[in-house]
Amino acid sequence: MRQNFDVKGGPQLGRKNIPLLREAMKAQGLDGLYIPHEDEYQNEYLPACNDRLAWATGFTGSAGAAMVFQDSAVIFADGRYTLQVRDQTDREFLEIEGLPEPGPFGWLARQSRKGQTLGYDPRLMTPNDLATLEESAKKAGVTLKAVETNPIDEAWQDRPQEPVAPVVPHSVTNAGEDAEAKRERIAAALKEDGADAAVITSPASVAWAFNIRGGDVACSPLPLSRAILKADGTADLFLDSRKASDKLREHLGNRVRLRPMEEVEPAMAELAGRTVSLDPALASAWFFGELEKAGANIVRQRDPVLLPKACKNETEIAGTEAAHIRDGAALTRFLHWLDTDAQSGEMTEIDAALKLESFREQLGDLNDLSFETISGAGPHGALPHYRVSSASNLKLERGTLYLVDSGGQYLDGTTDVTRTVPIGTPSADMRRHYTLVLKGHIALAEVRFPEGTTGTHLDVLARHPLWQAGLDYDHGTGHGVGVYLGVHEGPQRIAKPWNSVALRPGMIVSNEPGFYREGQYGIRIENLQYVTEPAEIEGGERKMLGFQNLTWAPLSRDLIDLDLLSPAELAWVNRYHNDVLARIGPLVEGEVLDWLNAQCAPLSQ
């Protein structure tokens, strides 16, 4: 079993640990401490040893921050975690404020704490965030102090050890390009920009550039690592030496110098007088400070690995397609189970999550889940980032909807898919809302668009049917996805906030509009799709890009209100189901195949 349904976090942690933290702060002459959720690597999923916000407050959400002073403390969480933050924190120790408004910086700017000293860890903050913190501190009359040792690390007596999972080569058979060729491409880009080197701080970028994978981070095959890529094509790779093997050294070759993680700091000093590329959105303020101290000429620009990593090559696309078909067979077996055994009303959210995991395990090539399964029955489906635990576990009761968002990590691809199904007979409102979400999903799947188009330009397509009904959802419509890497990756994104990165061929994005009726049910339909090469359109004048679907699993035909679909939308549903049957049918048999045939039968108005 890969998933743990134990209750995580909780108010007892804040009650126990905030007093310990205040003692450690006092020893360093601090009146307050800013605690972001982010760790030294800006990871989405944190190793247990780096989950400082959870240790200090008991809140385990994936986005948040806290300000702890000697006389008060505040935690900041966004709307996805409104209920969770209330359940996991103690009101006597922590006030609750929102993200992004007022957010920790906006809140601080409104305080009057003249003469007090606020500590921050420069290893956990980007320079952009630090600049905002400095402005807020000035308004509050607070003096900022960069800590050498994080007070949390001093107070955390039973802190878990850093993970030391082996770092292994990622075969060119799956990567599609030799690592040295990748680094030569990056080197050429650095030369063109006039840079001598780039400091790479993101473990995902390091993994891609060196064709390596690890196991230090849950749900993502990442090695905690750093690198320096140089304009001459050579590189330094920094790892805990316990993770390296002779096989890894052979894989890296003689143009890569493998160095222990302790040498990152002296390596910054070695860049004195050099022009160094560094990403202010990914690298911590500590790196900027060390390079400035060394006398390097810092060029603030996007991590040069991000775009090449985002634009998948033919091998990566082919592998991802194959992984999705296998994963689709596991998901189809699960959807059959939901439509038969789970209709009893006696199965629970945990039962369902484990059943889906077991179907993926039976494939024989599952390396990990790509994230903890979101298994939401009834009102829990209305919480987009719900995590089931033994304390929250609900039954899949008849007359409700069940939402499942899940994915797997395979050597040839990363999957992420959401389906919503009825348990028992759905109401008219459920069918209407599901169909509005489906209409938005179809619009984004079918769109053709010119080069230079960003995800922000396309976001409205998925929301339009909901907007016309006075409805919306409060999360992004699409995120980038890696290939046996992170299930969430940039720089591309489909969402309301402005994203300046144009969608390019080979980029994988999710298509996941939703609707959430608080306290009753949630609906989300998610497929992955990739951007296709520009192509002519008959009668047109410009070539247009488009999307090719990757995810294959039947939609819930019992939730589709045919009266709300246009003829073109109905034709899309029938084509999609025909393609599902063609790809998944050969991989299932017996009752599951009979069920799949029925689910994929043409719909008519």
Side-chain angles (χ1 to χ4, degrees):
M1 184 172 71
R2 298 176 185 271
Q3 298 177 84
N4 183 324
F5 302 103
D6 293 343
V7 177
K8 296 182 180 179
Q12 74 283 355
L13 291 178
R15 289 193 290 264
K16 172 188 174 185
N17 294 330
I18 286 178
L20 298 175
L21 175 57
R22 285 176 171 150
E23 286 298 316
M25 290 162 50
K26 185 176 180 181
Q28 292 193 27
L30 301 176
D31 299 293
L33 180 69
Y34 171 60
I35 310 170
H37 174 267
E38 292 76 18
D39 71 352
E40 294 88 331
Y41 299 90
Q42 301 294 306
N43 283 318
E44 177 179 8
Y45 301 107
L46 305 185
C49 61
N50 290 350
D51 204 350
R52 297 178 177 90
L53 183 64
W55 177 87
T57 67
F59 174 62
T60 61
S62 64
M67 290 274 189
V68 175
F69 287 88
Q70 295 293 350
D71 59 357
S72 63
V74 184
I75 186 162
F76 305 86
D78 67 25
R80 296 174 296 170
Y81 298 109
T82 301
L83 299 179
Q84 182 176 332
V85 72
R86 290 175 187 164
D87 291 341
Q88 290 187 318
T89 57
D90 189 326
R91 292 295 71 68
E92 291 186 17
F93 284 82
L94 286 154
E95 300 174 33
I96 298 174
E97 293 283 358
L99 276 178
E101 294 294 336
F105 306 142
W107 177 88
L108 180 63
R110 297 203 294 260
Q111 306 306 303
S112 178
R113 291 184 171 273
K114 189 173 182 180
Q116 294 191 5
T117 299
L118 176 68
Y120 71 93
D121 190 336
R123 295 168 179 80
L124 310 183
M125 298 187 67
T126 65
N128 295 342
D129 282 345
L130 179 55
T132 308
L133 177 60
E134 288 171 341
E135 292 177 9
S136 300
K138 186 176 181 180
K139 292 178 181 178
V142 168
T143 299
L144 289 182
K145 179 181 178 181
V147 298
E148 287 290 330
T149 303
N150 195 309
I152 292 177
D153 299 348
E154 290 189 335
W156 196 343
Q157 298 170 353
D158 55 349
R159 186 182 181 191
Q161 294 294 312
E162 277 209 12
V164 288
V167 177
V168 298
H170 184 57
S171 169
V172 70
T173 303
N174 291 312
E177 184 180 11
D178 179 81
E180 188 167 340
K182 291 181 176 182
R183 294 193 297 273
E184 287 291 348
R185 281 205 285 147
I186 302 300
L190 292 175
K191 284 180 184 177
E192 188 174 333
D193 291 339
D196 299 305
V199 176
I200 307 300
T201 62
S202 163
S205 291
V206 174
W208 183 89
F210 292 87
N211 279 353
I212 57 176
R213 298 295 189 267
D216 292 333
V217 180
C219 300
S220 298
L222 297 176
L224 296 182
S225 52
R226 314 285 197 189
I228 300 175
L229 303 182
K230 301 176 182 178
D232 63 2
T234 63
D236 290 352
L237 173 61
F238 301 89
L239 291 172
D240 185 317
S241 55
R242 293 172 292 177
K243 301 175 186 177
S245 64
D246 290 341
K247 185 177 180 180
L248 176 67
R249 293 183 179 90
E250 181 182 354
H251 164 77
L252 294 172
N254 57 18
R255 303 199 74 199
V256 176
R257 181 166 49 156
L258 188 60
R259 305 176 66 175
M261 194 65 84
E262 301 80 49
E263 292 188 11
V264 169
E265 186 170 348
M268 297 300 100
E270 293 168 11
L271 294 171
R274 304 292 184 89
T275 298
V276 182
S277 171
L278 195 58
D279 190 336
L282 294 177
S284 71
W286 180 88
F287 280 95
F288 284 83
E290 290 299 305
L291 287 173
E292 288 168 1
K293 189 166 61 177
N297 174 32
I298 302 174
V299 178
R300 295 185 174 218
Q301 59 184 192
R302 183 188 296 128
D303 176 343
V305 173
L306 287 187
L307 268 179
K309 176 166 64 71
C311 298
K312 309 328 185 213
N313 58 44
E314 290 182 2
T315 299
E316 290 174 310
I317 291 295
T320 297
E321 287 177 328
H324 275 81
I325 290 173
R326 299 194 308 275
D327 193 76
L331 183 60
T332 295
R333 293 177 65 195
F334 174 67
L335 292 173
H336 167 258
W337 177 84
L338 284 175
D339 203 33
T340 52
D341 293 0
Q343 292 295 312
S344 66
E346 295 302 313
M347 300 299 177
T348 68
E349 294 169 330
I350 290 178
D351 292 334
L354 290 177
K355 178 62 73 170
L356 177 52
E357 181 182 324
S358 73
F359 286 134
R360 285 195 167 106
E361 286 283 6
Q362 290 168 28
L363 297 174
D365 58 356
L366 179 72
N367 288 316
D368 201 350
L369 302 181
S370 56
F371 55 98
E372 291 183 320
T373 298
I374 297 172
S375 179
H380 287 165
L383 306 173
H385 292 262
Y386 170 70
R387 176 192 173 274
V388 59
S389 71
S390 56
S392 67
N393 193 24
L394 290 181
K395 287 184 177 180
L396 279 59
E397 295 182 354
R398 292 183 63 79
T400 66
L401 294 183
Y402 170 68
L403 184 154
V404 58
D405 187 348
S406 67
Q409 290 282 11
Y410 308 93
L411 280 176
D412 51 354
T414 299
T415 69
D416 180 5
V417 52
T418 307
R419 289 294 183 265
T420 306
V421 302
I423 306 299
T425 303
S427 68
D429 272 354
M430 292 173 179
R431 298 179 71 243
R432 173 172 172 264
H433 292 145
Y434 181 91
T435 308
L436 292 175
V437 171
L438 176 59
K439 287 167 72 71
H441 179 93
I442 294 171
L444 187 56
E446 286 279 80
V447 65
R448 301 294 298 276
F449 53 94
E451 291 181 280
T453 300
T454 75
T456 307
H457 294 130
L458 301 182
D459 182 75
V460 65
L461 294 171
R463 298 179 190 271
H464 180 259
L466 289 162
W467 283 0
Q468 301 313 110
L471 307 170
D472 200 2
Y473 51 95
D474 295 326
H475 56 72
T477 299
H479 56 82
V481 180
V483 175
Y484 194 44
L485 277 175
V487 73
H488 299 126
E489 73 168 26
Q492 76 276 17
R493 187 168 182 244
I494 302 174
K496 290 180 184 178
W498 174 245
N499 184 306
S500 63
V501 179
L503 294 169
R504 303 188 184 193
M507 285 182 169
I508 298 173
V509 293
S510 64
N511 174 357
E512 50 180 309
F515 173 73
Y516 309 93
R517 175 159 280 180
E518 185 176 353
Q520 295 186 39
Y521 55 81
I523 296 165
R524 189 161 62 251
I525 301 170
E526 178 186 16
N527 285 358
L528 299 190
Q529 52 196 35
Y530 70 88
V531 182
T532 57
E533 294 285 346
E536 301 280 359
I537 295 178
E538 186 176 354
E541 297 179 350
R542 299 184 186 183
K543 290 184 177 181
M544 295 286 166
L545 296 87
F547 291 117
Q548 172 60 51
N549 183 71
L550 286 166
T551 304
W552 305 107
L555 301 166
S556 182
R557 62 190 289 131
D558 291 341
L559 283 173
I560 298 175
D561 185 338
L562 295 176
D563 292 337
L564 296 179
L565 291 184
S566 70
E569 290 166 338
L570 179 60
W572 183 93
V573 171
N574 286 334
R575 285 197 308 274
Y576 177 73
H577 275 152
N578 186 62
D579 289 342
V580 168
L581 187 59
R583 288 167 172 80
I584 305 302
L587 302 181
V588 295
E589 56 187 18
E591 291 182 2
V592 178
L593 179 57
D594 292 341
W595 176 86
L596 182 63
N597 274 301
Q599 289 297 304
C600 294
L603 292 165
S604 59
Q605 289 173 317

